[in-house]
Amino acid sequence: RRRWYPTTPADLDTVAARTLQAGDDLSSDHPGFADAAYRSRRAAITAAAARYRWGDPLPVVAYAPAETATWTAVWAQLAALRAVGGGGSGGGAAAAAMGGAAAAAAAAAAARGRVVAPEYAAAVEGAVAEGVLSGDAIPQLGGVDAWLHDRTGWRVRPVGGLLSPRDFLNGLGAKVFHATQYIRHPSVPGYTPEPDVIHELLGHVPLLSIPAFAGLNETIGIASRGARDDAIERLARLYWFTVEFGLLWGDAAAGGAPYRAYGAGLLSSPGELARAVGLPAPPTAEGEDVREGASPPANPEPDRRPLTLEAVAEVVASSYPVTSFQRVYYVAQGLEGAADVVAAYARQVQAE
Ligand code: H2B
Ligand code: FE
């Protein structure tokens, strides 16, 4: 007999409090471990997430100036990478002003050099235009949730830390994305070993506003329902190498960028994003330890392999580092291509 699994957002009340690593119980290698003020701040934010029940207003966090400064600094680095090849945020507007075929051609030329998925860049620009995302303040979940729900019907739910892969994937099947609200420790703004508000709201949420990509997430989530433990592990790996660290083929033949990132782990880490798409590392803040063990000698040029259904067999058998840059990235043919490969594998899992 198959075990019970949550299928509605309200069902998630039973799992969302089961975090693996409570926000007030940081492991000893966490940059905030020795910082008592950071720990108590995290504990206050995660306590509100633990009290949350479906239907409650989403918790509002009054972020301190230092927290906002971390958001703003990382936002600036990521915005620079997002704008590569896109002519900055004005590129699209300049093309639009020309009108007609000339505008389309100019927009296509501008987009060729992009190192992030063009759908992602457009989603972030749209959210900024609507005042949902901004580099000036850490967004609150309520505004983000309403914006996302309007687009793809997905909801955001607060969570105090990492969930088990099963609980987290079951949430995706209910079109619910669990989001942490605390921000990474200011000593290491370029990197976090666990999800934080930058990773959730700037990495994951814009992509979940894109129907093809939201569908990919839901597909993995539905396949996780009642699945055996070994199937959960394989789906978690598939999630990791697509949703978290996936790349798309770019437009190298036309002189554009060879790779474009769509993985949220890349889109929220300036150093790893640059490396994954083959750009020089962005300048880091003074004294910043971008990521331990991640300097070029320790991390030679990564492998990039095509994401095919045959490659998924290798993906789901591969463990991956959580606290250093990835050694291998899988490259898909557009977000639809990634979704097709994931759907084909999900059908196999459901037939097991
Ligand atoms: N929990 C939370 N809170 N956020 C995540 O992004 C997350 C998680 N990712 N648990 C999961 C695990 C992912 O790495 C896969 C499915 O294991
Ligand atoms: Fe994530």
Side-chain angles (χ1 to χ4, degrees), residues 19-20 159-169 172 177-180 182 195 199-200 204 220 232 235-237 239-240 244 320:
T19 55
L20 297 179
V159 71
L162 272 181
L163 293 170
S164 74
R166 179 181 297 278
D167 289 346
F168 183 79
L169 295 176
L172 301 181
F177 184 73
H178 286 89
T180 52
Y182 54 80
H199 175 72
E200 319 288 29
H204 285 288
I220 298 181
I232 293 290
L235 291 169
R237 287 171 169 174
Y239 180 88
W240 186 267
E244 292 291 356
Y320 49 80

Side-chain angles (χ1 to χ4, degrees), residues 236-289:
R237 287 171 169 174
L238 182 60
Y239 180 88
W240 186 267
F241 287 106
T242 56
V243 175
E244 292 291 356
F245 289 98
L247 292 178
L248 304 177
W249 296 110
D251 203 357
Y259 307 106
R260 299 193 175 118
Y262 72 94
L266 299 174
L267 295 169
S268 56
S269 170
E272 186 158 3
L273 172 54
R275 171 178 177 274
V277 299
L279 289 177
T284 53
E286 203 174 331
E288 184 190 329
D289 168 14

Side-chain angles (χ1 to χ4, degrees), residues 54-146:
W54 174 247
D56 289 349
L58 289 161
V60 174
V61 178
Y63 290 104
E67 292 174 317
T68 301
T70 299
W71 170 272
T72 299
V74 179
W75 175 284
Q77 286 199 326
L78 290 169
L81 288 163
R82 213 163 51 233
V84 168
S89 57
M98 294 177 213
R112 232 169 253 146
R114 286 258 192 219
V115 298
V116 301
E119 298 94 328
Y120 170 79
V124 173
E125 283 165 21
V128 169
E130 293 193 36
V132 170
L133 293 180
S134 151
D136 301 332
I138 302 175
Q140 299 292 343
L141 291 191
V144 167
D145 172 72

Side-chain angles (χ1 to χ4, degrees), residues 146-320:
W147 178 83
L148 182 60
H149 190 256
D150 274 356
R151 274 152 189 80
T152 52
W154 276 64
R155 307 246 70 141
V156 174
R157 181 178 173 121
V159 71
L162 272 181
L163 293 170
S164 74
R166 179 181 297 278
D167 289 346
F168 183 79
L169 295 176
N170 283 177
L172 301 181
K175 301 215 273 190
V176 170
F177 184 73
H178 286 89
T180 52
Q181 291 178 280
Y182 54 80
I183 196 158
R184 59 196 63 182
H185 194 265
S187 65
V188 198
Y191 168 68
T192 167
E194 52 177 358
D196 76 337
V197 68
I198 299 177
H199 175 72
E200 319 288 29
L201 302 190
L202 197 47
H204 285 288
V205 165
L207 284 155
L208 288 169
S209 77
I210 301 161
F213 192 78
L216 181 161
N217 280 261
E218 190 182 1
T219 297
I220 298 181
I222 289 173
S224 78
R225 291 175 170 171
R228 296 195 321 246
D229 287 348
D230 69 291
I232 293 290
E233 178 159 1
R234 286 180 274 127
L235 291 169
R237 287 171 169 174
L238 182 60
Y239 180 88
W240 186 267
F241 287 106
T242 56
V243 175
E244 292 291 356
F245 289 98
L247 292 178
L248 304 177
W249 296 110
D251 203 357
Y259 307 106
R260 299 193 175 118
Y262 72 94
L266 299 174
L267 295 169
S268 56
S269 170
E272 186 158 3
L273 172 54
R275 171 178 177 274
V277 299
L279 289 177
T284 53
E286 203 174 331
E288 184 190 329
D289 168 14
V290 174
R291 190 182 280 204
E292 214 174 307
S295 54
N299 284 269
E301 178 72 0
D303 273 357
R304 299 184 188 90
R305 303 178 190 162
L307 181 76
T308 59
L309 187 55
E310 295 71 49
V312 171
E314 171 185 281
V315 168
V316 300
S318 306
S319 60
Y320 49 80

